[in-house]
Amino acid sequence: MKRSRIALSVLASATLALGACSAGSLGSSDDEGGGGKVTLSFLTDNQPETVKIAEGLAKDFTAKNPDITVKVETRPQGTEGDNIVKTRLSTGDMTDVFQYNSGSLFQALAPSKNLTAVDGFTDRLDENFAKTVTFEDKVYGAPFGNFMAGAILYNKDVYAKLGLQVPKTWDEFMANNAKIKASGVDPVIQTYGETWTSQLFILGDYHNVEAAEPGWADKYTKNQAKYATSPPARAGFEHLQQVHDAGYINKDFASAKLTDGLTKLATGQGAQYPILSAMLSQLIADNPGTENKIGLFAIPGSDTAKNGLTVWSPSAVYLPSSTTGDKAEAAKKFLDFVAGPDGCASQAAASQPTGPFAVKGCKVPDTVPQAVKDMQAYIDQPGASSLALEFLSPVKGPALEQICVEVGSGIRKADAGAKLYDEDVKKQAQQLGLSGW
C-alpha cells in the first residue's frame, strides 16, 4: 500500500520545479459555469509520462464535452509532492480534480473528510484496483495508468530453442533452469549491484502467499503471521537461496546492475530475470527490436491450479470535497470518462501501455510488447492476479533488499534471512503505532 522503497527506486525521476499550482492560478472567469461552460483544474505529478497521459485525457475529454475545459497543472514527485497534496486538501485549496497514489497513501488523505465518493462507473473497475481506492465501503478514484507486475521476464528464443514451457510451479521452474544451464545460458539473472532488484522473489511472490493462506496480509499487519513461521511466505527466501546454491545465477550477480541484467536477457546471455514489468520500457529502448522476444510469467508457486500474478495498482484521479456545484458535476463526468473505454483509449494513445488497464473490458492495443499481452492474460482470468503486499499492509521493513542480497549471495540461509526480516518489520510496525506489536 505505502509506496515501497522498491517502487520509489524504480519509478521516481528527478524532481522538477512546481508548475502552475499557486492559489492565484486556479481562477477562471467561467469557473462557476458562466455561459454554460466550466473549467476544471487537474493536478498531476510532473513525471513526463504522467503529464502526457493527463494532457491527452484533458484534450480528449473536452473534445467529447465541449462545455468543459480541463487544464493540467503539475507538482513535484516524492515527499515534496505528498506534502503539497495534503496541505492543499487540508486548506481547501486543492485543484478541482487531482491524480495521486492509490493504496495506503490514499488512505492517509482522510478520504471521508477530504474527498468525494464516486459511483456510476465503479462496477467497471478491476477488483484489485477497486480495493486500493476504497475507504469504509465507498470508492473514491478512477484508475490513471496501468497495472505493474512483479514477475519473471524471459527470453522467448531461448525457451523455443530448448523446447521449454512456461512453468506454473517452482519445481517446473527449477527443471527448466537445469536444462537452460546445460545449454550454456545463465538460467536466472540477478543484479545485486542495484540492491532493490534482489527483492522480486519475495515481493513478486505474494499472490502465492495469499493463495495458500487467504488473509495472510491482515494477520501479518496484526503481528499474527510471520515470514519465518509461515511456509508460503518463507518460500520466497528459500527460492533466493535455491537458485544461488544450484549455480543457476550469473557469475557477476554481485556487481551487475539493472542495465546489465536487461541486456543479458535481451541478448540471450541469460534466460530469465525476476524484475518489475515497468522495466520493459528500458529494456526495449536499450535493445530495439526485442518487443516480441521477451515474454512474462508469474513467479511460480507450489500449486498449478492457483498460479497467478502479483500486481501493483496504478494511481488514481480523485475529486476533492472542496469541488462543488457545477464543477463537481463536471468533475464526475471527467472521472467517468477516465474510468471508461474512451479514457483507456486516450491513455494508450498518449503513452504506450506498460501493463493492463484497471478497467474491465479495456484491452491493451495489439502494438504493445508481448510481455504486456502476457500480463493481460492473467488480469483477464478470474483469481489469477493479486495485489502486492504493500497494498494490503503498511508493514515493510527497510532492510529487505540487503537481506535478500545476503540470502541470494549465499551469505545467509533462507530461514535466518526470514527471521531477520521479521525483526526488521517489527521496528517499522512499532514506529507506525500498529496494535499487536
Side-chain angles (χ1 to χ4, degrees):
M1 294 174 69
K2 178 180 178 182
R3 183 177 289 269
S4 66
R5 293 167 63 91
I6 183 170
L8 284 171
S9 299
V10 179
L11 301 177
S13 61
T15 298
L16 303 177
L18 174 62
C21 68
S22 65
S25 71
L26 302 182
S28 174
S29 61
D30 60 359
D31 275 355
E32 297 306 323
K37 294 184 180 295
V38 177
T39 297
L40 296 176
S41 50
F42 179 21
L43 183 66
T44 75
D45 70 55
N46 60 14
Q47 206 273 341
E49 289 302 306
T50 300
V51 176
K52 284 172 59 178
I53 293 172
E55 291 180 340
L57 286 168
K59 177 183 176 182
D60 295 338
F61 173 75
T62 298
K64 289 183 174 292
N65 300 271
D67 290 337
I68 306 173
T69 300
V70 180
K71 295 184 177 180
V72 177
E73 304 175 5
T74 62
R75 62 168 174 81
Q77 302 169 67
T79 301
E80 183 181 359
D82 289 345
N83 290 336
I84 288 172
V85 168
K86 292 174 182 176
T87 298
R88 297 186 69 175
L89 284 173
S90 66
T91 60
D93 188 37
M94 179 50 77
T95 50
D96 301 314
V97 291
F98 68 101
Q99 171 261 345
Y100 190 64
N101 302 75
S102 56
S104 67
L105 290 181
F106 149 73
Q107 300 278 343
L109 296 181
S112 60
K113 175 184 177 182
N114 293 319
L115 305 179
T116 298
V118 295
D119 53 23
F121 61 78
T122 55
D123 60 339
R124 300 199 299 263
L125 301 179
D126 180 272
E127 180 182 359
N128 284 323
F129 171 78
K131 293 177 183 177
T132 68
V133 292
T134 297
F135 182 78
E136 295 180 346
D137 297 324
K138 293 182 180 180
V139 176
Y140 286 88
F144 184 99
N146 311 103
F147 281 118
M148 177 176 70
I152 295 178
L153 298 180
Y154 72 103
N155 188 297
K156 293 175 67 67
D157 290 342
V158 172
Y159 260 57
K161 181 179 179 181
L162 298 178
L164 302 178
Q165 299 295 317
V166 168
K168 293 187 175 182
T169 67
W170 187 257
D171 288 344
E172 292 173 356
F173 178 68
M174 292 296 279
N176 281 357
N177 289 338
K179 294 177 182 178
I180 294 168
K181 183 177 181 180
S183 75
V185 174
D186 291 330
V188 179
I189 300 167
Q190 294 286 48
T191 51
Y192 298 161
E194 291 186 51
T195 55
W196 73 262
T197 67
S198 67
Q199 302 172 87
L200 269 298
F201 276 135
I202 310 296
L203 301 183
D205 196 48
Y206 189 71
H207 173 86
N208 296 318
V209 179
E210 183 67 21
E213 293 189 21
W216 191 86
D218 185 56
K219 295 178 182 177
Y220 173 65
T221 304
K222 296 176 180 177
N223 197 23
Q224 297 171 355
K226 296 182 179 295
Y227 277 91
T229 55
S230 170
R234 191 175 62 246
F237 290 96
E238 293 169 348
H239 295 164
L240 270 171
Q241 180 181 331
Q242 288 169 13
V243 294
H244 171 271
D245 291 354
Y248 288 156
I249 61 178
N250 45 301
K251 292 182 179 179
D252 62 344
F253 68 88
S255 60
K257 296 189 175 182
L258 173 67
T259 53
D260 301 319
L262 296 174
T263 297
K264 289 176 185 291
L265 181 66
T267 58
Q269 299 173 58
Q272 303 157 124
Y273 191 13
I275 199 68
L276 289 174
S277 62
M279 296 304 98
L280 277 168
S281 297
Q282 182 175 340
L283 184 151
I284 293 168
D286 293 345
N287 302 274
T290 55
E291 292 86 347
N292 295 317
K293 294 182 179 181
I294 304 299
L296 175 148
F297 60 83
I299 293 178
S302 59
D303 188 343
T304 299
K306 296 180 179 180
N307 177 250
L309 190 67
T310 300
V311 298
W312 277 249
S313 177
S315 63
V317 181
Y318 301 103
L319 172 59
S321 55
S322 55
T323 302
T324 59
D326 290 343
K327 286 192 155 204
E329 293 307 309
K332 290 176 182 178
K333 289 183 180 180
F334 180 62
L335 265 66
D336 183 78
F337 174 84
V338 172
D342 289 338
C344 294
S346 176
Q347 295 182 63
S351 179
Q352 178 166 266
T354 56
F357 289 103
V359 178
K360 296 175 183 177
C362 283
K363 303 297 183 183
V364 293
D366 290 337
T367 55
V368 299
Q370 179 59 46
V372 177
K373 296 177 183 178
D374 293 342
M375 289 176 62
Q376 183 72 60
Y378 287 101
I379 297 296
D380 290 342
Q381 183 180 341
S385 62
S386 299
L387 286 168
L389 180 59
E390 67 184 76
F391 289 93
L392 304 171
S393 172
V395 181
K396 184 178 188 291
L400 179 59
E401 57 194 67
Q402 287 78 21
I403 295 171
C404 287
V405 167
E406 292 181 349
V407 175
S409 301
I411 298 171
R412 190 185 300 272
K413 296 298 183 182
D415 56 350
K419 290 178 182 177
L420 184 60
Y421 186 54
D422 284 333
E423 288 299 313
D424 187 46
V425 302
K426 179 179 179 180
K427 299 173 186 176
Q428 199 250 7
Q430 290 174 340
Q431 290 174 356
L432 292 174
L434 299 178
S435 61
W437 292 84

